[in-house]
Amino acid sequence: AQSVTQLDSHVSVSEGTPVLLRCNYSSSYSPSLFWYVQHPNKGLQLLLKYTSAATLVKGINGFEAEFKKSETSFHLTKPSAHMSDAAEYFCVVSDWTGNQFYFGTGTSLTVIP
Amino acid sequence: DSGVTQTPKHLITATGQRVTLRCSPRSGDLSVYWYQQSLDQGLQFLIQYYNGEERAKGNILERFSAQQFPDLHSELNLSSLELGDSALYFCASSVADRSTSYEQYFGPGTRLTVT
């Protein structure tokens, strides 16, 4: 079975400081992993995805994530937080068919001015 | 704007009732996915249709059903509604039937409140 665990339900950073949102996955095969962002009262937007190519994945808005098989992790990072980054972030793993997505419980990011 | 539209935006109804949520995918997308987002269950995949055919099923209750029409829009029918069905229901679309390589584009959601 596939699952993801987001290790922090809330993360608070100051504007201009680095962001780290942690995600561990469980999968019986080589997974496809995604990070989505949800701004208040909005739908979800794809930030980046890993599909067995380069282990360091670059996404939109300066975010990136590194796939570490030995640690079963797919942590999301950004060098410098911006106020507009305040949102809910979801780590997602797909099943082997690519048809079913399994979402983490989400991490709420607060950016302090 | 993702290009995925959902109607209505908000829906308030009573227990025991039936409602229909509508989703129009992005132009050219053949797959439609339905998700439920609630405070206690988080985001859960319900069901996927590809070009009119059911392709995958997740945690969808028997009281819920969906279909995709020839023009590719989809409807999610929720019946015998219970208080616990109150949630945000998202629709997403994708160009292909497998999302490992293709992004899912999410609509703004329909907020259902059951009283």
Side-chain angles (χ1 to χ4, degrees):
Chain A
Q2 295 69 240
S3 67
V4 289
T5 302
Q6 292 185 243
L7 300 171
D8 307 291
S9 57
H10 300 278
V11 170
S12 187
V13 301
S14 297
E15 190 176 16
T17 64
V19 175
L20 170 63
L21 305 183
R22 299 182 295 165
C23 173
N24 286 351
Y25 70 90
S26 173
S27 177
S28 53
Y29 53 88
S30 184
S32 291
L33 293 157
F34 309 78
W35 275 99
Y36 277 81
V37 60
Q38 183 180 26
H39 287 94
N41 301 312
K42 299 281 188 184
L44 284 81
Q45 181 185 20
L46 180 68
L47 282 178
L48 49 80
K49 63 183 177 185
Y50 166 78
T51 56
S52 72
T55 56
L56 182 61
V57 182
K58 294 188 184 297
I60 62 171
N61 301 335
F63 284 95
E64 62 181 40
E66 186 171 7
F67 173 73
K68 291 187 176 180
K69 187 175 180 179
S70 60
E71 299 176 11
T72 61
S73 68
F74 189 58
H75 300 335
L76 182 70
T77 60
K78 182 173 181 177
S80 176
H82 191 272
M83 294 300 295
S84 61
D85 295 328
E88 189 87 11
Y89 291 79
F90 293 94
C91 182
V92 185
V93 64
S94 70
D95 72 345
W96 70 273
T97 68
N99 290 335
Q100 290 208 30
F101 274 16
Y102 297 89
F103 284 77
T105 50
T107 297
S108 177
L109 176 65
T110 299
V111 182
I112 304 167
Chain B
D1 184 359
S2 67
V4 178
T5 60
Q6 290 187 247
T7 56
K9 192 171 183 179
H10 300 279
L11 199 49
I12 301 175
T13 189
T15 53
Q17 295 298 306
R18 173 189 169 95
V19 296
T20 297
L21 313 183
R22 183 189 169 103
C23 168
S24 292
R26 290 189 325 149
S27 176
D29 284 359
L30 299 178
S31 269
V32 170
Y33 304 77
W34 285 98
Y35 295 88
Q36 179 193 59
Q37 184 178 33
S38 62
L39 285 175
D40 55 343
Q41 300 282 347
L43 252 167
Q44 292 195 92
F45 166 73
L46 295 178
I47 197 164
Q48 179 213 359
Y49 278 82
Y50 176 75
N51 204 20
E53 293 186 0
E54 182 184 303
R55 190 56 62 101
K57 225 170 191 177
N59 298 321
I60 189 166
L61 299 172
E62 286 192 9
R63 300 184 285 110
F64 296 180
S65 65
Q67 55 184 324
Q68 187 179 27
F69 294 86
D71 66 352
L72 300 177
H73 90 272
S74 178
E75 293 181 355
L76 179 67
N77 300 296
L78 314 176
S79 61
S80 302
L81 285 168
E82 302 175 359
L83 295 177
D85 298 327
S86 296
L88 194 53
Y89 291 84
F90 285 108
C91 164
S93 74
S94 175
V95 65
D97 63 341
R98 292 172 185 269
S99 285
T100 51
S101 298
Y102 299 97
E103 177 178 352
Q104 288 189 24
Y105 293 86
F106 282 76
T110 293
R111 183 168 295 282
L112 173 66
T113 302
V114 182
T115 61

